[in-house]
Amino acid sequence: MTDTPAPTTPPAPDRTRRRLVVGGAVGAATVGTGGVLVPAAAAGAAADRRRHADALRRDPFTLGVASGDPVPDGVVLWTRLALDPTAADGRGGMPDRPVALTWQVASDPRFRRVARTGRVTALPQHAHSVHVEVEGLQPGREYWYRFRAGRHVSRAARTSTSPTPGALPASMTMAFASCAQLEHGFFSAYRNIAADQPDLVLHLGDYLYEYTARDYVAPGGNVRDHEGPETVDLASYRQRHAQYKADADLQAAHAAAPWLVVWDDHEVDNNWAGDTPENIAEKPGFAARRAAAFRAYYENMPLRRSSIPRGDHLQLFRRLHWGALASFHMLDTRQFRDDQGCGDGYRADCPAAVDPSRSIVGPAQERWLLDGFRRSRARWDVIGQQVFFAQRDSTDGPVKTVSMDAWDGYQASRDRITRGWVDARVRNPVVLTGDVHAHWASELKLDYDDPTSRSVGTELVCSSVTSGGNGADSAVTAHPWLRWNPHLKLQNNLRGYVRTRITPDDLTAEFRCLPQVRTPGAEAFTRATFVVEDRVPALNLVQDRGVPGARTFAQRSAEEDTRATIEHETARPR
């Protein structure tokens, strides 16, 4: 089941989702019109009246299909119609009129056993996107779905429902990824995720980037360009989402499994914090930019109607349960945070970083998360979020130099969350992180200054899909920061994702890497594998394997690697 706070500002504690169930010829159906819900009969009659006008001469399913936020009896289905995905007005080359769609969910890939079907209308005011909340499915089952618009049929895609509440599955597979800068490389990581056929995919942010062409250049140059200007209004955000969604590898990953998505900064503006943009001079117009970004994000993601934006607020943090095996607490570390301290970037001795009044998630989200810990009966509690959680000091010696954009810049907030799961006796807390364009893994502490203190959780950090270009290979313990941060257990600067297998007894994390991203079709390999045992918050390395022929860390200087790490994690001057 989902556990979603009410969409208010500030967000209130938990609320279960509202439902609209209507009868259909084959079964129950929820009919959505891109954020406006209408009765099925009315939608069907309207579709019938428009059918002669809705004939499209070309395939409108150029952006693919997606599913998300599974529950035991259903899942969200998404598509957005576009004849010309990168049209400058953000409307995808679609006619300025509604388009009638039908959808089907079947228990087999050939659709011989249709379980649910319904009708939905794609409206121009919502960029011809639709969100269908299907209900009445069986728990813990695979399904296939597709859409039809006139004579055009979308690809058939795979999804699944979550297990029955209280059930303890033997295992689940989950992959997580972040940071896909289209200009920096090809999305081969997504193609490899699709081949893995996981039960669930988590995307931890930076699904797209806001920059105009050649504004953010990877080492060695960019391999393709963004269309249009920097994203600042609804048209440009819609255009950018469509350009990314048109990528075949990304479409394949969406078609392979249901997704849980949360944003980081680049879906709006680099290193934005609450109502503050990166460039402080742009603050007077930032609320409008945020509202446009939020609306486009909802239109292009498989989110429930509880996430329909209300101006410049979008309810994104939420909780999903995979039976009694795992609970996924998905956080929003951007919308409610205090501004970064001391001007952002890496800083030493910044008073704001230790100010107990400051929070990276806001007081209401902190309360919601701590309450979720107290209520949890799951074997594994997985916190899906954006920025580095563990302490990560970039300088050797008594003075700490840490990132103001990560949890190091909000140390009291991190302490409250960590102590919250310890006090609640959470059985197996695991933090999942993106953002930093490299694989990392760490053991979490209440006192990072005492290396002998016990570990109270683990953190797994995925590298980028493409951001930063090819990167470089290294042994898992070669990065210099690991010497004076002994709780850090892995760093690798190749691109990729993390594949996990969760069982009642352990969690296995495979750090999947790509030899390069500058040409399409790279095959992923497992660079390192860690196992976390039930009730033992420690990272056990079971494999450390390099890629033949790759440039290793030993061929680079420590200064070069450290400089590269800091440069891509530091904001432009504000």
Side-chain angles (χ1 to χ4, degrees), residues 89 166 280 302 368 398 477:
D89 62 3
I280 198 69
W368 170 85
T477 58

Side-chain angles (χ1 to χ4, degrees), residues 313-351:
H313 171 72
L314 186 151
Q315 182 61 56
L316 193 61
F317 67 83
R318 62 208 188 279
R319 188 175 291 117
L320 179 140
H321 305 285
W322 202 265
L325 181 63
S327 290
F328 294 90
H329 312 265
M330 306 300 291
L331 303 188
D332 177 353
T333 64
R334 287 292 166 189
Q335 189 174 183
F336 308 108
R337 70 157 70 190
D338 292 292
D339 192 16
Q340 293 94 341
C342 300
D344 208 351
Y346 275 74
R347 298 288 184 267
D349 297 324
C350 175

Side-chain angles (χ1 to χ4, degrees), residues 206-547:
D206 294 346
Y207 185 94
L208 51 71
Y209 281 70
E210 77 274 29
Y211 305 114
T212 191
R214 295 175 292 282
D215 188 26
Y216 178 18
V217 179
N222 292 347
V223 300
R224 47 187 178 173
D225 287 335
H226 280 150
E227 296 278 350
E230 178 166 340
T231 54
V232 295
D233 56 20
L234 184 58
S236 54
Y237 280 113
R238 283 173 167 175
Q239 180 192 37
R240 188 62 50 81
H241 273 282
Q243 183 179 10
Y244 276 63
K245 276 292 201 306
D247 184 272
D249 291 341
L250 177 54
Q251 289 188 18
H254 273 298
W259 284 38
L260 279 176
V261 299
V262 285
W263 55 38
D264 191 17
D265 53 340
H266 291 289
E267 289 88 348
V268 181
D269 178 42
N270 182 56
N271 278 25
W272 68 283
D275 62 357
T276 304
E278 179 186 29
N279 183 350
I280 198 69
E282 297 174 358
K283 188 168 183 176
F286 187 61
R289 181 177 184 177
R290 227 175 74 149
F294 288 7
R295 180 171 174 180
Y297 186 83
Y298 176 77
E299 289 173 346
N300 287 278
M301 294 294 171
L303 290 165
R304 294 189 177 275
R305 58 185 174 270
S306 55
S307 292
I308 294 173
R310 300 185 178 189
D312 68 339
H313 171 72
L314 186 151
Q315 182 61 56
L316 193 61
F317 67 83
R318 62 208 188 279
R319 188 175 291 117
L320 179 140
H321 305 285
W322 202 265
L325 181 63
S327 290
F328 294 90
H329 312 265
M330 306 300 291
L331 303 188
D332 177 353
T333 64
R334 287 292 166 189
Q335 189 174 183
F336 308 108
R337 70 157 70 190
D338 292 292
D339 192 16
Q340 293 94 341
C342 300
D344 208 351
Y346 275 74
R347 298 288 184 267
D349 297 324
C350 175
V354 296
D355 184 344
S357 70
R358 299 176 76 252
S359 175
I360 195 172
V361 293
Q365 190 174 182
E366 279 193 15
R367 291 193 297 270
W368 170 85
L369 181 58
L370 296 176
D371 182 64
F373 291 154
R374 288 189 291 268
R375 294 172 179 267
S376 178
R377 299 296 180 269
R379 190 65 60 97
W380 299 86
D381 279 88
V382 180
I383 299 101
Q385 57 93 47
Q386 293 75 46
V387 293
F388 216 95
F389 191 86
Q391 179 175 290
R392 194 172 50 136
D393 183 2
S394 66
T395 55
D396 192 8
V399 177
K400 295 179 189 174
T401 305
V402 295
S403 170
M404 295 296 101
D405 190 56
W407 289 79
D408 273 331
Y410 304 82
Q411 293 172 31
S413 188
R414 176 174 64 198
D415 185 65
R416 289 189 292 268
I417 298 303
T418 308
R419 291 185 183 278
W421 77 55
V422 171
D423 292 345
R425 298 183 179 180
V426 169
R427 183 164 176 159
N428 292 300
V430 179
V431 177
L432 306 183
T433 300
D435 180 63
V436 296
H437 305 181
H439 286 315
W440 295 79
S442 58
E443 294 179 4
L444 303 175
K445 307 277 188 179
L446 285 171
D447 183 4
Y448 292 99
D449 293 332
D450 179 5
T452 66
S453 65
R454 69 186 181 101
S455 297
V456 297
T458 52
E459 178 179 22
L460 307 173
V461 183
C462 64
S463 186
S464 63
V465 171
T466 57
S467 301
N470 285 339
D473 192 28
S474 63
V476 298
T477 58
H479 196 285
W481 295 3
L482 273 62
R483 294 200 304 272
W484 56 86
N485 293 276
H487 55 281
L488 302 180
K489 305 298 182 182
L490 169 144
Q491 193 272 353
N492 185 275
N493 195 37
L494 289 174
R495 306 299 153 238
Y497 62 100
V498 178
R499 181 173 67 191
T500 69
R501 182 174 183 267
I502 304 173
T503 76
D505 298 323
D506 54 41
L507 182 153
T508 301
E510 297 176 277
F511 288 83
R512 304 279 286 165
C513 289
L514 301 170
Q516 55 81 30
V517 296
R518 293 186 61 80
T519 59
E523 293 292 327
F525 69 98
T526 299
R527 185 62 182 81
T529 302
F530 286 86
V531 173
V532 181
E533 298 175 354
D534 179 33
R535 297 186 186 274
V536 184
L539 292 165
N540 302 293
L541 177 64
V542 297
Q543 175 183 302
D544 177 8
R545 179 181 298 167
V547 54

